[in-house]
Amino acid sequence: MNALLPPARPFEAALAYHARTKHSLKGYAAGPETLDWDMQPNPFREYEGAPRTALPLAAEGLGVSFAEMVSGTVAPAPLDLAGVALLLELSFGLAAWKQLGPDRWALRCNPSSGNLHPTEAYVIAGRIAGLDDGVHHYVSRDHALEHRFAPSGPDVVVVAGASGFAMEQRFGPAGGAPSLFLALSSIHWREAWKYGERAFRYCQLDLGHALAAVRYAAACLGWTAHLVEAPSADIARRIGLDRAADFAGAEREDPDILIALAPAGGDLPALPQLPVGGRWMGRANVLDRHPLYRWPVIDQVSLATHRAGADAGEGVAAPALPPREATGDARAASVILGRRSAQRFTAKGSTMSRDVFLGLMDALLPRAAAPFDAAPFEARVHPLLFVHRVEGLSPGLYALPRRDGVIADLKAALRSDFTWEKPEGVPAHLPIYRLVETDCRGIARTVSCHQAIASDSSFALAMLAEFEPLVTAEAWRYRQLHWEAGMVGQSLYLEAEAAGFRGTGIGCFFDDDLHQLLGLEGAAFQSIYHFTVGRAAVDDRITTEPAYPGRGA
């Protein structure tokens, strides 16, 4: 990462970056002119010299149903090595290997733009049975943990408190209870290698995918997962990203997210003290020995949107909505491991029943359940839906405002001739509104960089975010809005898979051309992610191999 000074007003850097990296019908954001796929950066980070712990594989034997996962009715499993292994397998582990001719590539449980996977996962463990205390890095290719930091001496530190000096645990709360956190980071070069300046957006969307993937995996174990609002510098220190010597010559990682995990119904673990002793182990591998391009603007926006303080955040309670009525006997693990990003859709086979469509929309509402209860923020991302092939719904443009108070703002911001009619038979709690009845397949395709996946599907959508006022108030919200959009995307991925359909994220779209069509002026709302769902066309030339060949459960 280049050494850059933060701007005087960080929000200006975030807004300028977003404007600079917009695609349009007149041209695309700055990126590489050519790609040499033989020179793609290594998709797997490792720490050479760090001790390894091989993790058991257990997803195939997990009997939890998809309905149980999303309804939160799974009995809590112990916080032990087996649970940590299953959590990682279902959130960051490999789902399969694919091969076409001489090309072979891995698929993972967490979706990623271009299958480039900039997100890295670290475990911060205290008193987890079977796992050494300290910081561990997860290697998805091998389903193994690398021990990065081992605390030394007594597992307590003396700190000054309001009533004098007190003893606090370094890697676990008092009483010897287990303590488990996940920290997520990004290697921006993995995305920038292909996507250039727009890559920072995709890294943040992938963090949202990953956060939702962790929450779903935790639900399979009867655990909760909650975003901890920690300063970026603290996250870096906790997992050793600030240790320059450990990354000498290697690509640096950007600190992003800290997640606390605990059995449902129990207390969340206290945040561990920052590492102040012990031993750091391992040195990061070099992912690209011949980098061809660098994009300094990514470092600038990253620095500007780092979180400086750990304020309380919004702390908004989830709206009082009816429980999800998820049904069916699909196994949660089968859905998670079977999830794929569709490359093409069969237009004739993409007609979707009204009930399935309404079920997918219902799953996107913020509830006190997986995945949206993982983030303590009010809903700020609202899908606009290009409905193409849904039985009982006229083709056209629809809106799904995910926050009650935003409807008036959307009506004022969007075109005045939109009708805002609620289709007949839509449940009262589901805020779906028809804006205009029309064949919008051509529009959806055009604004999504002319991609047929946006028009051959059952429906496509653009995620409108409440944008400039939020980012101006707190620049780090630029990241958070993308995380929320990624969580919406991951929900659609799994819900579509469970219903027999398939989804795919669309990161390439013409930002302001879409805004113009919608009547949007200024930057109070901005589209930050597109998505599409339909019936996938299968390419029989591509073969599938097991994720971990030769390893049993």
Side-chain angles (χ1 to χ4, degrees):
M1 182 179 295
N2 296 337
L4 298 169
L5 293 176
R9 298 201 291 181
F11 75 87
E12 293 180 342
L15 297 177
Y17 167 80
H18 192 76
R20 172 186 177 129
T21 56
K22 288 179 176 180
H23 294 321
S24 77
L25 286 165
K26 297 179 180 179
Y28 291 85
E33 296 181 0
T34 60
L35 287 177
D36 182 353
W37 286 97
D38 292 332
M39 299 295 289
Q40 180 179 349
N42 185 344
F44 301 108
R45 164 129 288 169
E46 298 176 77
Y47 286 91
E48 298 163 4
R52 283 201 174 198
T53 299
L55 299 176
L57 294 166
E60 292 294 346
L62 183 67
V64 172
S65 70
F66 185 82
E68 290 170 330
M69 178 185 75
V70 298
S71 62
T73 58
V74 180
L79 275 174
D80 58 14
L81 178 64
V84 172
L86 185 57
L87 177 83
L88 293 169
E89 185 181 358
L90 292 175
S91 55
F92 293 99
L94 301 189
W97 285 90
K98 292 286 188 177
Q99 185 160 353
L100 176 61
D103 298 322
R104 186 173 183 264
W105 64 96
L107 301 179
R108 307 191 201 185
C109 291
N110 57 315
S112 174
S113 305
N115 198 39
L116 297 176
H117 292 282
T119 309
E120 295 292 327
Y122 293 81
V123 172
I124 305 174
R127 299 183 179 84
I128 300 294
L131 184 62
D132 291 334
D133 284 359
V135 177
H136 303 258
H137 171 252
Y138 180 61
V139 184
S140 61
R141 182 197 58 209
D142 305 323
H143 191 48
L145 286 175
E146 299 174 315
H147 200 180
R148 281 280 289 137
F149 175 76
S152 62
D155 198 23
V156 295
V157 292
V158 180
V159 296
S163 58
F165 287 91
M167 302 294 286
E168 287 192 8
Q169 304 294 329
R170 178 176 291 141
F171 280 98
S179 169
L180 180 63
F181 291 84
L182 283 184
L184 307 183
S185 65
S186 296
I187 302 175
H188 295 147
W189 180 241
R190 284 216 185 106
E191 291 287 334
W193 169 83
K194 180 178 180 182
Y195 294 117
E197 291 189 351
R198 201 171 167 103
F200 183 77
R201 295 191 188 197
Y202 301 157
C203 290
Q204 301 309 309
L205 291 172
D206 280 353
L207 284 160
H209 295 147
L211 177 58
V214 170
R215 181 63 187 99
Y216 281 123
C220 289
L221 288 153
W223 297 353
T224 59
H226 290 280
L227 192 65
V228 178
E229 300 181 57
S232 301
D234 281 4
I235 297 175
R237 286 183 61 191
R238 291 181 191 282
I239 57 177
L241 302 187
D242 61 342
R243 295 177 55 79
D246 293 352
F247 291 88
E251 295 79 359
R252 301 298 292 268
E253 299 180 23
D254 197 42
D256 290 299
I257 289 177
L258 187 63
I259 307 167
L261 296 120
D267 294 332
L268 290 174
L271 191 61
Q273 297 294 306
L274 292 167
V276 292
R279 182 164 54 105
W280 287 96
M281 297 167 284
R283 185 168 175 170
N285 62 332
V286 175
L287 305 178
D288 186 352
R289 297 189 179 279
H290 305 285
L292 301 177
Y293 309 94
R294 294 296 180 194
W295 308 102
V297 70
I298 292 176
D299 297 339
Q300 292 170 348
V301 71
S302 172
L303 188 62
T305 56
H306 276 170
R307 188 169 188 168
D311 53 71
E314 294 179 347
V316 175
L321 296 172
R324 284 286 313 280
E325 296 183 0
T327 59
D329 56 2
R331 291 175 56 249
S334 296
V335 174
I336 292 172
L337 294 172
R339 182 214 59 81
R340 303 287 186 268
S341 295
Q343 303 301 308
R344 293 185 300 117
F345 290 118
T346 59
K348 293 183 179 179
S350 285
T351 299
M352 179 180 286
S353 75
R354 179 190 180 97
D355 288 345
V356 167
F357 175 78
L358 294 180
L360 291 179
M361 297 302 102
D362 195 22
L364 301 185
L365 300 183
R367 283 184 172 85
F372 299 110
D373 65 346
F377 307 114
E378 211 168 12
R380 301 286 186 172
V381 172
H382 314 286
L384 290 184
L385 302 140
F386 302 97
V387 174
H388 306 318
R389 301 172 178 86
V390 176
E391 295 174 347
L393 277 183
S394 303
L397 181 66
Y398 293 71
L400 180 71
R402 299 174 59 246
R403 181 173 71 82
D404 288 342
V406 79
I407 296 176
D409 293 336
L410 282 171
K411 286 183 177 180
L414 298 176
R415 289 176 48 156
S416 60
D417 57 349
F418 285 161
T419 60
W420 291 91
E421 298 173 337
K422 190 159 186 178
E424 184 178 351
V426 172
H429 74 278
L430 194 53
I432 295 179
Y433 299 92
R434 182 169 50 242
L435 306 184
V436 61
E437 184 176 332
T438 186
D439 182 349
C440 53
R441 289 174 294 179
I443 294 174
R445 178 172 181 160
T446 298
V447 298
S448 296
C449 295
H450 309 292
Q451 296 178 81
I453 53 174
S455 58
D456 291 346
S457 56
S458 307
F459 66 91
L461 58 90
M463 300 186 201
L464 280 189
E466 301 173 48
F467 193 76
E468 188 173 54
L470 203 66
V471 176
T472 299
E474 296 177 297
W476 69 268
R477 295 280 193 173
Y478 184 69
R479 295 174 181 250
Q480 182 247 312
L481 289 172
H482 286 81
W483 301 346
E484 183 182 345
M487 295 180 76
V488 170
Q490 176 65 346
S491 178
L492 283 170
Y493 267 122
L494 294 191
E495 294 284 345
E497 197 78 30
F501 289 82
R502 189 151 281 177
T504 192
I506 302 175
C508 184
F509 53 87
F510 299 133
D511 304 59
D512 286 340
D513 298 292
L514 170 67
H515 298 154
Q516 184 177 2
L517 285 169
L518 298 174
L520 284 173
E521 297 179 357
F525 292 92
Q526 294 280 283
S527 183
I528 59 174
Y529 192 20
H530 285 207
F531 205 92
T532 185
V533 175
R535 193 82 68 179
V538 178
D539 189 340
D540 294 329
R541 298 173 303 165
I542 300 176
T543 60
T544 302
E545 301 174 9
Y548 300 102
R551 287 189 58 181

